Amino acid sequence: MNLFEKIFNYQVMSRLDETGAFTITSHERAWLKTMLEHPAAADAFSAETREKLRALLQPEQSLDLGDRFREKAKSKEKHVYHPLISPIRRIMLEQAGMRMTFRTKGGRLQTEQSGFPYKLEYSMVKREWYLLWYHLRHHTLMSTKLQTIVSVSPRPLDERAVAIILTDIAKIIESRKETAVIEVIPLYNKELSRILYAFSCFEKEVEYSDERETYRIKLTFQLEEREYVLSKLRFLGKRVRIVEGEYMRNRMLESTWRALARYGKDES
């Protein structure tokens, strides 16, 4: 490709980016047409959007997967896309409140609870969707599995009420934050990128000391994420150590004592 072609391509891509448009290949169009036939497509798209996509993709050939893939026996399938995601997202985009009926862990039904949907989260470990929402009566931030939600309907809220709720949510999230400072053992400085990748989903600051030739990582996370951080620290093993964060240090000491006890060593 010569210089003029590169300049032209750059201008075209810049214009597309400015208008919010993007290009897709024929293979991607064929894949999308095939996926629209999947039963989960009815939950992922509204009926109007689905029909519009089908009309646009009518000239395309569907992918022939029959001769290439064979499905064998499997465990019960958990769909990544949940049917309640679309209605909840619409309520969130409109910054409206909601009335929700859901089941507790004990199976009790909580009916017509008034709340404000704040965030949808997906757990890669449990392969489940969670709704983080603000309870308008109790003024608390709650997390509920989508599979336990029976029904959700919008509830109008004025702009002033939404502003107050968002301020309250920000205060709650700030109060739940915890920090820990993790030091990388100098012998493993060359593995810094791997260590940082382990904590990629957390807010962090990295400092380097020329005098000690050590990296220190300051992690900021929510209280309910403690166990996940601890699991990452155990995975990294002797590469890191906690230098600040009393609770985290005590938990790692407890894990060490238990491990030593399995091999006949006392806590001393």
Side-chain angles (χ1 to χ4, degrees), residues 147-168:
Q147 68 174 19
T148 63
I149 298 175
V150 178
S151 63
V152 176
S153 59
R155 170 189 170 178
L157 288 174
D158 58 52
E159 292 182 4
R160 185 179 176 184
V162 171
I164 294 171
I165 290 168
L166 290 174
T167 303
D168 206 7

Side-chain angles (χ1 to χ4, degrees), residues 177-193:
K177 281 186 178 180
E178 186 172 347
T179 59
V181 177
I182 298 159
E183 188 175 82
V184 180
I185 306 304
L187 181 63
Y188 299 96
N189 281 352
K190 60 184 178 182
E191 296 188 36
L192 179 65
S193 59

Side-chain angles (χ1 to χ4, degrees), residues 69-86:
F69 295 95
R70 180 173 297 172
E71 189 174 23
K72 296 185 178 180
K74 62 178 181 179
S75 57
K76 185 178 179 180
E77 184 179 2
K78 277 189 176 182
H79 292 297
V80 173
Y81 201 90
H82 194 281
L84 284 176
I85 290 176
S86 288

Side-chain angles (χ1 to χ4, degrees), residues 112-166:
E112 295 297 309
Q113 300 294 305
S114 296
F116 180 82
Y118 177 66
K119 187 187 291 185
L120 284 165
E121 295 179 335
Y122 182 73
S123 170
M124 295 295 291
V125 178
K126 297 180 180 179
R127 298 183 67 185
E128 288 183 321
W129 281 96
Y130 289 81
L131 172 64
L132 195 63
W133 60 287
Y134 181 84
H135 201 298
L136 293 179
R137 181 180 177 186
H138 302 303
H139 305 286
T140 56
L141 204 55
M142 303 183 66
S143 180
T144 304
K145 291 181 183 180
L146 289 198
Q147 68 174 19
T148 63
I149 298 175
V150 178
S151 63
V152 176
S153 59
R155 170 189 170 178
L157 288 174
D158 58 52
E159 292 182 4
R160 185 179 176 184
V162 171
I164 294 171
I165 290 168
L166 290 174

Side-chain angles (χ1 to χ4, degrees), residues 211-227:
E211 185 181 341
R212 299 192 309 271
E213 295 184 349
T214 56
Y215 289 97
R216 284 194 171 187
I217 306 165
K218 183 180 179 181
L219 288 181
T220 304
F221 50 90
Q222 298 293 309
L223 292 179
E224 58 267 22
E225 295 172 330
R226 278 175 172 173
E227 294 302 320

Side-chain angles (χ1 to χ4, degrees), residues 12-267:
V12 171
M13 296 305 295
S14 298
R15 293 288 178 85
L16 288 173
D17 188 55
E18 289 172 2
T19 57
F22 61 94
T23 58
I24 58 174
T25 64
S26 58
H27 182 79
E28 289 170 334
R29 292 195 295 271
W31 176 86
L32 178 57
K33 185 175 182 178
T34 305
M35 292 303 105
L36 285 174
E37 302 305 319
H38 193 280
D43 297 326
F45 300 102
S46 64
E48 183 182 354
T49 302
R50 203 163 64 253
E51 291 305 316
K52 186 175 181 180
L53 286 172
R54 282 176 177 163
L56 291 170
L57 296 168
Q58 190 174 4
E60 301 294 332
Q61 289 283 346
S62 298
L63 291 178
D64 184 14
L65 304 177
D67 298 331
R68 295 179 177 85
F69 295 95
R70 180 173 297 172
E71 189 174 23
K72 296 185 178 180
K74 62 178 181 179
S75 57
K76 185 178 179 180
E77 184 179 2
K78 277 189 176 182
H79 292 297
V80 173
Y81 201 90
H82 194 281
L84 284 176
I85 290 176
S86 288
I88 292 173
R89 281 186 63 195
R90 281 195 291 271
I91 296 172
M92 291 170 66
L93 288 170
E94 293 169 2
Q95 286 201 326
M98 65 177 184
R99 288 187 178 87
M100 181 170 67
T101 299
F102 62 95
R103 296 187 183 278
T104 62
K105 288 183 180 179
R108 203 171 75 183
L109 199 66
Q110 298 285 344
T111 59
E112 295 297 309
Q113 300 294 305
S114 296
F116 180 82
Y118 177 66
K119 187 187 291 185
L120 284 165
E121 295 179 335
Y122 182 73
S123 170
M124 295 295 291
V125 178
K126 297 180 180 179
R127 298 183 67 185
E128 288 183 321
W129 281 96
Y130 289 81
L131 172 64
L132 195 63
W133 60 287
Y134 181 84
H135 201 298
L136 293 179
R137 181 180 177 186
H138 302 303
H139 305 286
T140 56
L141 204 55
M142 303 183 66
S143 180
T144 304
K145 291 181 183 180
L146 289 198
Q147 68 174 19
T148 63
I149 298 175
V150 178
S151 63
V152 176
S153 59
R155 170 189 170 178
L157 288 174
D158 58 52
E159 292 182 4
R160 185 179 176 184
V162 171
I164 294 171
I165 290 168
L166 290 174
T167 303
D168 206 7
I169 290 173
K171 290 178 181 177
I172 294 171
I173 291 174
E174 190 64 31
S175 68
R176 290 182 181 180
K177 281 186 178 180
E178 186 172 347
T179 59
V181 177
I182 298 159
E183 188 175 82
V184 180
I185 306 304
L187 181 63
Y188 299 96
N189 281 352
K190 60 184 178 182
E191 296 188 36
L192 179 65
S193 59
R194 176 190 177 185
I195 295 166
L196 290 175
Y197 180 75
F199 301 114
S200 58
C201 57
F202 298 108
E203 182 185 337
K204 55 190 172 296
E205 299 174 11
V206 183
E207 293 181 354
Y208 178 72
S209 171
D210 290 322
E211 185 181 341
R212 299 192 309 271
E213 295 184 349
T214 56
Y215 289 97
R216 284 194 171 187
I217 306 165
K218 183 180 179 181
L219 288 181
T220 304
F221 50 90
Q222 298 293 309
L223 292 179
E224 58 267 22
E225 295 172 330
R226 278 175 172 173
E227 294 302 320
Y228 183 73
V229 175
L230 286 167
S231 69
K232 289 295 183 181
L233 289 168
R234 296 186 190 106
F235 170 75
L236 292 170
K238 59 184 180 180
R239 296 171 180 80
V240 297
R241 69 187 182 98
I242 303 171
V243 293
E244 291 181 24
E246 196 63 26
Y247 175 83
M248 304 292 281
R249 284 173 59 85
N250 290 336
R251 285 298 306 274
M252 290 301 288
L253 278 170
E254 182 185 347
S255 299
T256 304
W257 291 338
R258 288 180 178 178
L260 289 171
R262 293 193 188 101
Y263 297 94
K265 302 288 185 181
D266 58 31
E267 294 181 1

